Amino acid sequence: MVRSVQERAVKTREAILRAASEVFDEFGFSGASVSKIMKRAGVTQGGMYFHFPSKEALAHAVMIEQGEGLEMPPGEDGLQRLIDITLYLAGQLQTNPALRAGVRLAIEQGEFGVQDDAPYQYWVQEFAGQLRAARDRGELLADVDVDDLAWMLVSSYSGTQLLSQISTGRADLHRRIITLWRYLLPGIAAPGIRPLLTFTYQDDPVA
């Protein structure tokens, strides 16, 4: 009995987060309402507030959990896998409302009284892990600082996806991320590694 109640609670929370992601993605924080989210989730007011006491708390949860459920591309950790991950994320930003909403809310977080860089730090750590593997495999130039590079890559990626969203609704995001790598790689990758790297969404090798 207790287990079934817990399972229902988990499913209800998941339904609320899924609906909230869709609504926040479509309308942003200001345009979203609890009633819209409740209707889409198919939950009562009591069910909603049992899990999230306010729209602000719900928005913060969507923002923080933006990376949940993503299945990163397989492969050996290192520079190639990092490239694959960034291109995979570009595809997810075109199709995955949970990720899109989380990213949008990270930008809009001032509207709900939050100043939290945790979503960005999550990706900094994810990218840094791949860069450490690349360093251990001799794929990076000797003077590359992995932590600084991870921070810079997340910053550059965030700006690239935002401008792509504003300009084309992210239709050109894969191409823009590939361009980012083309200019970045000569400054970080060992010369013998660059010709071996390929892009997930096209066959041309990285120059």
Side-chain angles (χ1 to χ4, degrees):
M1 178 66 177
V2 173
R3 184 177 179 180
S4 63
V5 170
Q6 291 174 338
E7 290 175 348
R8 285 200 300 272
V10 169
K11 289 182 179 178
T12 299
R13 186 179 189 276
E14 290 174 347
I16 293 169
L17 283 173
R18 184 166 54 250
S21 295
E22 294 172 357
V23 173
F24 284 130
D25 178 40
E26 292 176 28
F27 300 102
F29 179 79
S30 296
S33 67
V34 172
S35 60
K36 287 178 184 175
I37 295 168
M38 286 169 47
K39 182 176 180 181
R40 192 165 302 194
V43 299
T44 64
Q45 189 175 46
M48 170 71 75
Y49 288 113
F50 174 80
H51 292 281
F52 302 100
S54 64
K55 186 174 84 165
E56 289 79 6
L58 180 53
H60 191 250
V62 171
M63 182 182 78
I64 292 297
E65 298 180 30
Q66 62 180 258
E68 296 292 324
L70 296 175
E71 297 181 5
M72 298 300 179
E76 189 172 358
D77 290 347
L79 204 46
Q80 180 63 67
R81 187 162 187 244
L82 179 56
I83 292 170
D84 293 344
I85 288 171
T86 61
L87 292 171
Y88 164 77
L89 291 174
Q92 290 295 301
L93 282 165
Q94 293 173 330
T95 61
N96 186 328
L99 180 60
R100 285 202 308 258
V103 168
R104 178 170 185 168
L105 290 168
I107 296 168
E108 297 178 355
Q109 60 180 282
E111 296 183 24
F112 50 101
V114 173
Q115 185 174 346
D116 187 352
D117 69 347
Y120 297 104
Q121 292 297 337
Y122 172 85
W123 293 113
V124 168
Q125 293 306 313
E126 288 289 315
F127 289 4
Q130 296 302 319
L131 289 168
R132 290 189 188 97
R135 180 188 59 196
D136 294 343
R137 296 174 60 181
E139 296 177 347
L140 301 180
L141 296 173
D143 61 349
V144 170
D145 184 298
V146 166
D147 294 322
D148 283 350
L149 176 56
W151 193 95
M152 187 276 291
L153 181 56
V154 171
S155 301
S156 300
Y157 195 103
S158 298
T160 298
Q161 72 82 22
L162 178 59
L163 184 53
S164 175
Q165 163 66 11
I166 294 170
S167 300
T168 69
R170 297 196 181 98
D172 67 346
L173 185 53
H174 286 110
R175 180 166 62 87
R176 297 301 183 183
I177 297 303
I178 290 170
T179 299
L180 176 63
W181 278 115
R182 286 191 182 278
Y183 284 99
L184 179 62
L185 283 171
I188 68 168
I193 296 299
R194 292 205 300 271
L196 305 178
L197 300 171
T198 59
F199 297 114
T200 300
Y201 291 89
Q202 67 178 44
D203 296 328
D204 294 338
V206 177

